[in-house]
Amino acid sequence: MNHVTIIGTVTAKPETRVELQKLLSAQVGPTRQETGCINYDFHVDATDPCVFVFYENWRSQQDLDAHMDMPHLTALFSQVDRLLASPVNIRYLKMHSEIM
């Protein structure tokens, strides 16, 4: 399988943390319904409530690219400069263990 795994880290400004968490939480349901989404899991850092992490698996790079163009992300993308303390960090991973 040539699926794509990413870990996306988003860091809120302290004063926008609650607003950003609501916007990010609202992405989970629609994203999980997208074609090619294997899993889309939303986390908050255990020691820093301003740091949010997405663990995502997509069937292909094309599916991930299509996700990035989805209308439900528009509200988030239009506000990142105001909400984020630093740029979004996306790490691409390659699985070395067998899929169960």
Side-chain angles (χ1 to χ4, degrees), residues 42-95:
F42 178 45
H43 308 267
V44 63
D45 187 281
T47 60
D48 186 345
C50 289
V51 177
F52 302 102
V53 178
F54 285 92
Y55 175 73
E56 308 174 29
N57 283 286
W58 295 89
R59 186 181 58 202
S60 69
Q61 183 64 49
Q62 292 79 15
D63 291 321
L64 175 58
D65 292 343
H67 163 65
M68 299 306 288
D69 291 332
M70 286 291 167
H72 61 86
L73 292 175
T74 304
L76 177 61
F77 290 157
S78 68
Q79 300 182 67
V80 291
D81 290 339
R82 181 179 67 79
L83 297 170
L84 302 185
S86 59
V88 175
N89 179 287
I90 298 177
R91 295 178 62 194
Y92 285 79
L93 305 176
K94 292 184 179 180
M95 185 179 290

